[in-house]
Amino acid sequence: MTTGVGPGGVGTGTVPQAPGEPGAVVHDVVAARMRPARTPGERVAALLQRNAAPVVLVVVGLFAALTFEFFLTTGNLRDVAVDASFLALIAYGMTFVIVTGGIDLSVGSVFALGGVLAAIGAQRGPVAGLLLPLGVCAMVGLLQGLLIARAGMPAFIVTLAGLLGVRGLVYAVTDEGATTNRFPTDSPLLELGRGTFVGVGRPTWIALALFVVLGVLLTRTRFGLSLFAIGGRGDAARLMGVPVERSTTLVYVLSATLAGFAGMLVAAQASSGVPNVGVGRELDAIAAVVIGGTLLTGGAGTLFGTLCGVLLLKVIQNIINLIGTLNSSYQSVVSGVFLVVVVVIQTLLSRRQRL
Amino acid sequence: MTSVRTQPARPAAPFAGPRPRREAARVFLRDNGVYVALAVLLLYNLFFSDGFITVANLRNQLLQVVPVLVVALGMAMVIGTEGIDLSVGAVMSIAAALLPLYLGYGLVPAVLVVLLAGAVCGLLNGTLVAVLGVQPIVATLALLVGGRGLALVLADGQSKEIRNPDLLGFATARVLGIPAPFLLAAVLAVLVGLAVRRTTYGRRLLAIGGNSRASELAGLPVRRTLITVYVASGTLAAIAGIIATARLTASDPSQLGSLVELSAITAVVVGGTPLSGGRVRVLGTVAGALLIQVLRGTLISHDVPDSTAQIVQAAIILLAVALQRPRRQT
């Protein structure tokens, strides 16, 4: 359990010594935000807020391992990891959006659009199968991003309209959902969603690779750091010279592209694009991000926490499946309860830090 | 130096050219666009849609709008406090799950239990928002995620037939030719309108939506008012769930109220209530709900596929919000 707390603890612990080294402070924006937290109580509060998800994940994982023999089998873990990969891609994008203080409710619909367009495109070759979904989904994100960043409309409403409109678009290109588009049986794209590499499912490798790439993008680049500034205080960020409109727009492009890519992978796994998938997927993604310790008010958040949040949701789902006698509806009940508990704890902890 | 610079530029900058007229048009459209659009749509149907403007069809439209309308009334109050209630659809499904379980004890106890359940859901939301200071989107998201699952657990995942004659009679009854459920919704709209406009409670609600910090400093009971607003929204959602279940003649906890929060938010926003709080337009909300319903009915009567109807609804939301957008200060 202590290993779960370790990395975050080091990050927070080094802050008081940091002023001598400007580079360290500038890079660790999250830590910089928490600099006023000095007393041990406040430090523990900050630590818990950032690391609740990994700790709970370890506890729940141990519980599952000790209770169910089947849980730790290679096959089961591989399936859970693959299942989590698709949600992880969406949740990565959601983390970026939420760090800027926004929200993207359209990802569930964009996810379905990505899958359907991938199947349609794949019938004209693998390149079209790759570019059509990613391109169109990026355009959807661009449109939403422009309306939010340039026209100043609330992200919540714009992406709500996106949720409706994109789902309508999905049904429009599939004859009201009557057509199921299938990938050609020899399409190389199918390999993205199925099969294993070194014993681990390919979608899991993709999710891990993107975790590294996006993690670097969020914490080690000018663009990523500007997002924290925007989420913390948009007008101040503008005065600092951060290109607020451009960065905000790009965040929604990223979120939609990742959601479309996740949809493409799921479609490749099922070898067909199904129009009615992904309903409510945005809720799972937001829940994972929030459980992972990213503040919905913006300005703070980590991809690692999000990944832990995703895994936590999926492990809980797996446990409920393994119990077997429980109705699958319990899964959403447990997710909802987790969400409340985490949010309440977060709120109480952040209030404690402020005092 | 700044004073020298700004002096000549000042008179020209804020209200030059055609701006005031455009601004006035924007404000008019924002405040009355929903009525204009509804009138235009009905006129269009009068001339171009066969069999749309008939007593039977209009009655049907009024009947169909009821659940969204009732939910939207609560949503309007919540949005008036600068909040949002995403859990309404889940509360409707909880209502649908509970209703058949308690109908055996009689209609009145069953309805009371369902209303109480709705109020408890609202209390949960309200406590999270008002006492713990959780953002309304997140606070109500939890119930949206978990509520429908809870309903399915309560109902054991099953749809149950409703046989109570009083309830079924209410769903099909007419008073003066108007469907009884719509009359109930209209009464609720009047009550909400009076509460918002004519009572101290309503003024507090709007004050909190305008500036919650200032309201608190002015000594208003912010927490209590916020909690009651969410309780009202939850209770109204439960009423909507009862009416919708009665009309279906069967409980459907897995589907009932799914995405109703979107339609309700659309109705409220299209009706001219700003998302930034401090203002509630109840009549506009009623017109907004009717507009969405009639629009959908019109598109269906012209054999426009449902997917297009959805895209149109999305465009309308964006248009309404674009009109509401305050003019940029820069």
Side-chain angles (χ1 to χ4, degrees):
Chain A
M1 242 199 292
T2 36
T3 47
V5 183
V10 173
T12 329
T14 52
V15 171
Q17 312 149 6
E21 300 163 88
V25 181
V26 173
H27 275 296
D28 201 347
V29 174
V30 181
R33 249 177 78 93
M34 292 180 176
R35 272 182 67 197
R38 289 255 163 88
T39 72
E42 285 166 347
R43 225 183 273 172
V44 171
L47 200 70
L48 274 179
Q49 187 186 348
R50 291 180 58 196
N51 295 295
V55 172
V56 178
L57 177 63
V58 169
V59 172
V60 173
L62 277 177
F63 166 77
L66 294 176
T67 317
F68 307 101
E69 281 179 24
F70 185 72
F71 179 76
L72 277 187
T73 58
T74 327
N76 185 54
L77 286 181
R78 186 194 294 144
D79 288 350
V80 171
V82 168
D83 195 28
S85 313
F86 307 123
L87 182 59
L89 294 192
I90 302 176
Y92 294 159
M94 190 68 80
T95 310
F96 277 76
V97 171
I98 291 180
V99 160
T100 67
I103 195 125
D104 189 348
L105 300 178
S106 71
V107 286
S109 300
V110 174
F111 173 81
L113 184 68
V116 167
L117 289 181
I120 292 175
Q123 291 158 6
R124 289 179 182 75
V127 178
L130 201 61
L131 291 185
L132 183 68
L134 295 185
V136 173
C137 291
M139 290 309 290
V140 168
L142 181 66
L143 182 64
Q144 296 190 130
L146 287 175
L147 285 173
I148 292 163
R150 301 258 173 209
M153 288 162 66
F156 169 67
I157 284 293
V158 171
T159 56
L160 189 70
L163 185 161
L164 272 181
V166 173
R167 183 66 64 176
L169 192 62
V170 170
Y171 282 108
V173 295
T174 55
D175 299 325
E176 301 303 303
T179 316
T180 300
N181 292 285
R182 304 193 68 84
F183 284 76
T185 46
D186 58 344
S187 175
L189 286 177
L190 288 172
E191 295 308 313
L192 282 177
R194 54 174 70 157
T196 56
F197 177 71
V198 201
V200 177
R202 287 214 179 83
T204 308
W205 284 112
I206 296 174
L208 286 175
L210 280 172
F211 174 72
V212 174
V213 172
L214 294 173
V216 169
L217 182 66
L218 185 63
T219 57
R220 294 283 177 266
T221 66
R222 193 179 289 254
F223 167 72
L225 293 176
S226 77
L227 302 182
F228 288 98
I230 293 169
R233 199 62 204 271
D235 45 355
R238 188 170 284 120
L239 291 176
M240 276 160 59
V242 171
V244 175
E245 275 91 9
R246 197 178 67 202
S247 294
T248 309
T249 310
L250 281 177
V251 160
Y252 289 91
V253 174
L254 181 69
S255 172
T257 311
L258 283 170
F261 188 45
M264 195 181 116
L265 294 182
V266 168
Q269 190 192 39
S271 75
S272 60
V274 186
N276 58 2
V277 295
V279 175
R281 199 56 77 101
E282 63 282 352
L283 304 181
D284 294 339
I286 296 170
V289 172
V290 173
I291 289 173
T294 296
L295 297 177
L296 266 139
T297 38
T302 61
L303 275 184
F304 176 66
T306 297
L307 189 58
C308 291
V310 169
L311 287 172
L312 190 55
L313 289 181
K314 288 300 174 187
V315 169
I316 290 171
Q317 184 180 7
N318 191 231
I319 290 175
I320 286 171
N321 288 342
L322 288 177
I323 293 175
T325 53
L326 282 182
N327 193 318
S328 64
S329 317
Y330 276 101
Q331 207 242 314
S332 59
V333 178
V334 175
S335 304
V337 171
F338 252 94
L339 194 57
V340 172
V341 171
V342 169
V343 166
V344 167
I345 292 174
Q346 267 190 12
T347 312
L348 294 179
L349 289 177
S350 64
R351 192 178 290 175
R352 197 191 147 88
Q353 286 169 45
R354 232 178 290 142
L355 291 175
Chain B
M1 174 156 161
T2 36
S3 60
V4 178
R5 276 265 164 127
T6 46
Q7 282 293 17
R10 211 30 202 203
F15 291 114
R19 275 223 186 129
R21 204 177 297 164
R22 254 173 59 188
E23 180 65 10
R26 187 183 73 83
V27 169
F28 177 81
L29 266 184
R30 183 192 69 193
D31 291 345
N32 302 299
V34 63
Y35 308 116
V36 176
L38 189 57
V40 168
L41 198 57
L42 287 173
L43 275 177
Y44 169 83
N45 279 310
L46 186 59
F47 293 114
F48 298 105
S49 307
D50 281 340
F52 194 89
I53 306 290
T54 60
V55 174
N57 184 50
L58 288 181
R59 217 178 251 154
N60 190 25
Q61 301 290 331
L62 286 185
L63 207 49
Q64 282 185 8
V65 80
V66 170
V68 169
L69 175 51
V70 172
V71 167
L73 291 174
M75 188 71 77
M77 291 171 74
V78 174
I79 290 180
T81 66
E82 206 179 353
I84 199 96
D85 188 351
L86 297 180
S87 71
V88 284
V91 174
M92 277 181 76
S93 88
I94 290 176
L98 283 177
L99 190 62
L101 294 183
Y102 289 90
L103 267 181
Y105 302 98
L107 180 60
V108 176
V111 167
L112 285 180
V113 166
V114 171
L115 294 187
L116 188 67
V120 168
C121 290
L123 187 64
L124 175 74
N125 289 332
T127 309
L128 286 174
V129 172
V131 180
L132 292 167
V134 177
Q135 285 164 293
I137 292 189
V138 193
T140 57
L141 179 73
L143 198 52
L144 170 60
V145 172
R148 191 171 298 275
L150 185 65
L152 286 169
V153 170
L154 287 171
D156 209 14
Q158 286 172 355
S159 163
K160 291 203 182 70
E161 199 183 337
I162 302 286
R163 293 205 190 85
N164 187 300
D166 293 332
L167 190 58
L168 295 178
F170 166 74
T172 49
R174 285 182 205 145
V175 182
L176 302 172
I178 301 171
F182 184 78
L183 282 180
L184 176 66
V187 169
L188 290 172
V190 171
L191 286 179
V192 169
L194 287 178
V196 171
R197 288 228 165 161
R198 304 270 175 208
T199 65
T200 319
Y201 172 72
R203 252 167 256 138
R204 281 179 189 153
L205 183 162
L206 298 179
I208 292 168
N211 189 334
S212 103
R213 183 92 187 105
S215 309
E216 205 172 333
L217 292 176
L220 297 187
V222 173
R223 287 183 178 187
R224 204 175 67 208
T225 310
L226 273 179
I227 290 177
T228 50
V229 166
Y230 284 91
V231 168
S233 175
T235 312
L236 285 165
I239 294 176
I242 295 174
I243 297 175
T245 302
R247 227 175 73 74
L248 283 172
T249 71
S251 71
D252 182 12
S254 68
Q255 286 301 314
L256 191 79
S258 153
L259 293 183
V260 75
E261 60 277 358
L262 303 190
S263 301
I265 293 169
T266 313
V268 173
V269 173
V270 169
T273 302
L275 280 167
S276 47
R279 197 152 177 248
V280 174
R281 292 168 55 94
V282 176
L283 193 60
T285 301
V286 175
L290 283 171
L291 178 67
I292 301 170
Q293 178 59 43
V294 173
L295 185 71
R296 192 149 261 212
T298 307
L299 293 171
I300 289 171
S301 78
H302 283 264
D303 288 330
V304 174
D306 210 39
S307 58
T308 316
Q310 251 179 341
I311 297 174
V312 169
Q313 193 181 343
I316 288 177
I317 302 179
L318 290 179
L319 186 67
V321 177
L323 286 171
Q324 276 188 10
R325 190 162 47 95
R327 189 145 288 282
R328 277 211 183 164
Q329 295 305 307
T330 45

